């Protein structure tokens, strides 16, 4: 079964959007990962700077206060005892350390926890002190200025706050990271915008593609109309008059030679009728496709056409009530006559012709089936081309006329080969109900 262009293009558009979305996700994940690496590197730099500054100061607060870079970056720091109360604190830090927050951040890396805090645009860096591990060496005494800021007294050991780590459980420091959070906020804002923009772009390109196909079809149809217009003009002037003369002459011959040459004269008249039908069908194709649309019960029209062409009503399935469609009556009859004649001439048994009508939402669908030769797969793309036919006596314009008239009524026509042989013709129209005059589906 051939997938319609609109459905296939929609599937391709969705797949393209998914592919580009995957690329967008990858880019933004890389951006976030890069921001995280820069953040962690800055944290390490600040910690190194802080511990290096402790050579010249008695406590962390004095070291931070003396360095503009540290003062700008560090919101607060503290050392918490095993009972989770601060042994030492500076700046804004919790009065009691909450260990439960560590359970939500996963396993530590090198006994270090990193907790993002979006509210304060900072990163809380927590070091779990392992007293069984190597101790931090005290700074050399000869590098400690006696009158350095923050010095509490000259008798206090210079490495007092280094030694305080031995009695603490957690070293807590809150580092201000505005650049990291700007990147995270930018990613969160731009990602959905990019996704929507990609979705719009993909379907905009799909729309351009469909419009391009539609324009090509229109151009091709216009070319066909030009060719057919020239052919119709030639046929009307060059064939009709000779055909009339031939018909008159066959009538004279039939009177002059009564009982003689009946078979030959019959063949001549049959060929004249075929050529006349071709001229009529070409003129029919060139008529204004919409015509004069009126509400028409398509189910009753189909029954009437079957009785006239097949001698019986072969509508095997219908719907209750009227099936009203807005279409020109003559053009609707022409559509069903062309399709039913094709079914009759398909070479299948008469009882193999079936039909049904169904209502799907707000559309009326008519199916006409036969058990004839079917349509070769190679001919499927050309069945609606004017003058294309696989029958020796066919004109090749009936389906072209049907397609024009159906589409002019906002409908569509589709043909496919049936399993076991034969052809299925499916025609659908928007259903017309009273009060639908304002419905855009019925506006030209």
């Amino acid at each position: 079964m051939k997938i319609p262009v609109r459905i296939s293009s929609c599937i391709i558009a969705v797949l393209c959007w998914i592919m580009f979305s995957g690329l967008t996700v990858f880019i933004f994940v890389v951006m976030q990962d890069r921001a995280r690496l820069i953040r962690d590197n800055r944290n390490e730099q600040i910690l190194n700077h802080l511990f290096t500054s402790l050579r010249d100061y008695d406590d962390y607060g004095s070291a931070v206060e003396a360095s503009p870079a540290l003062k700008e970056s560090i919101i607060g720091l503290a050392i918490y005892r095993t009972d989770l109360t601060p042994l030492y604190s500076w700046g804004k830090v919790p009065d009691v350390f909450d260990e439960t927050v560590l359970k939500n951040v996963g396993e530590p890396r090198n006994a270090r926890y990193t907790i993002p805090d979006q509210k304060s645009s900072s990163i809380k860096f927590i070091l779990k002190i392992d007293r069984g591990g190597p101790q931090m060496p005290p700074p050399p005494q000869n590098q400690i200025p006696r009158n350095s800021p923050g010095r509490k007294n000259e008798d206090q050991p210079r490495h007092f706050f280094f030694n305080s780590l031995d009695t603490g459980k957690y070293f807590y420091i809150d580092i201000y990271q505005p650049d990291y959070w700007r990147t995270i906020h930018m990613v969160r804002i731009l990602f959905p915008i990019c996704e929507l923009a990609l979705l719009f772009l993909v379907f905009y390109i799909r729309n351009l593609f469909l419009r391009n196909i539609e324009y090509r079809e229109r151009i091709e149809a216009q070319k066909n109309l030009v060719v057919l217009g020239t052919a119709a003009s030639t046929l009307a002037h060059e064939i009709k008059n000779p055909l009339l003369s031939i018909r008159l002459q066959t009538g004279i011959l039939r009177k002059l030679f009564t009982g003689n040459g009946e078979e030959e004269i019959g063949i001549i008249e049959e060929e004249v009728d075929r050529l006349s039908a071709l001229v009529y069908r070409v003129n029919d194709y060139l008529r204004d496709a919409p015509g004069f649309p009126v509400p028409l019960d398509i189910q009753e029209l189909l029954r009437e056409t079957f009785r006239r062409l097949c001698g019986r009503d072969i509508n095997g399935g219908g719907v209750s009530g009227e099936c009203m469609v807005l279409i020109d009556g003559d053009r609707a009859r022409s559509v069903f006559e062309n399709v039913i004649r094709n079914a009759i001439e398909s070479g299948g048994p008469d009882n193999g012709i079936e039909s049904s009508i169904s209502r799907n939402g707000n559309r009326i669908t008519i199916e006409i089936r036969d058990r004839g030769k079917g349509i070769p797969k190679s001919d499927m793309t050309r069945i609606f081309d004017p003058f294309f036919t696989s029958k020796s006596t066919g004109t090749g314009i009936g389906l072209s006329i049907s397609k024009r008239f159906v589409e002019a009524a906002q409908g569509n026509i589709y043909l496919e080969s049936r399993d076991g042989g034969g052809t299925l013709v499916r025609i659908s129209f928007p259903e017309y109900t009273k009060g639908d005059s304002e419905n855009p589906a019925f506006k030209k």
Side-chain angles (χ1 to χ4, degrees), residues 334-355:
S334 177
V335 169
F336 290 123
E337 284 179 2
N338 286 326
V339 174
I340 294 172
R341 287 186 190 278
N342 284 342
I344 295 172
E345 298 171 0
S346 65
D350 290 342
N351 58 6
I353 301 176
E354 303 171 344
S355 74

Side-chain angles (χ1 to χ4, degrees), residues 390-421:
S390 58
K391 296 183 291 186
S392 59
T393 59
T395 60
I397 200 169
L399 287 177
S400 299
I401 294 171
S402 300
K403 189 174 189 298
R404 286 197 71 221
F405 290 169
V406 168
E407 291 181 347
Q410 309 298 324
N412 55 65
I413 180 171
Y414 175 76
L415 276 73
E416 68 177 23
S417 295
R418 299 177 65 191
D419 294 336

Side-chain angles (χ1 to χ4, degrees), residues 140-168:
Q141 293 296 323
N142 58 3
Q143 294 185 11
I144 306 174
R146 295 180 61 82
N147 297 321
S148 59
R151 186 70 180 244
K152 294 188 176 181
N153 58 69
E154 295 182 0
D155 298 328
Q156 183 182 13
R158 186 65 189 88
H159 50 88
F160 170 78
F161 287 98
F162 280 90
N163 292 337
S164 66
L165 294 177
D166 294 337
T167 60

Side-chain angles (χ1 to χ4, degrees), residues 155-289:
D155 298 328
Q156 183 182 13
R158 186 65 189 88
H159 50 88
F160 170 78
F161 287 98
F162 280 90
N163 292 337
S164 66
L165 294 177
D166 294 337
T167 60
K169 184 176 181 181
Y170 293 106
F171 177 78
Y172 172 98
I173 182 169
D174 195 1
I175 301 176
Y176 185 53
Q177 291 274 20
D179 294 337
Y180 169 76
W181 286 108
R182 273 195 293 268
T183 302
I184 297 299
H185 292 154
M186 181 186 68
V187 168
R188 291 175 180 175
I189 294 172
L190 290 182
F191 178 72
I193 293 176
C194 289
E195 289 295 294
L196 292 175
L198 282 173
L199 185 63
F200 172 79
L201 180 62
V202 167
F203 278 89
Y204 177 73
I205 294 174
R206 171 184 175 267
N207 185 53
L208 290 180
F209 171 74
L210 293 177
R211 289 174 61 185
N212 185 46
I213 291 178
E214 183 181 347
Y215 290 150
R216 287 178 180 274
E217 290 177 350
R218 288 183 182 178
I219 291 172
E220 193 65 29
Q222 292 297 327
K223 289 180 180 178
N224 292 334
L225 287 175
V226 171
V227 172
L228 287 174
T230 305
S233 177
T234 302
L235 288 170
H237 292 85
E238 302 297 332
I239 296 180
K240 280 186 177 181
N241 291 334
L243 289 178
L244 180 60
S245 297
I246 293 171
R247 191 180 293 278
L248 290 173
Q249 294 303 316
T250 55
I252 294 172
L253 289 174
R254 193 183 295 277
K255 290 180 180 180
L256 291 176
F257 303 98
T258 305
N260 296 322
E262 287 292 334
E263 183 178 352
E264 289 78 7
I265 292 174
I267 293 173
I268 294 173
E269 290 179 341
E270 183 180 332
E271 293 301 316
V272 168
D273 290 339
R274 190 169 72 87
L275 290 174
S276 298
L278 176 60
V279 173
Y280 170 79
R281 284 179 175 273
V282 170
N283 287 330
D284 198 25
Y285 184 84
L286 294 173
R287 285 192 298 169
D288 178 37

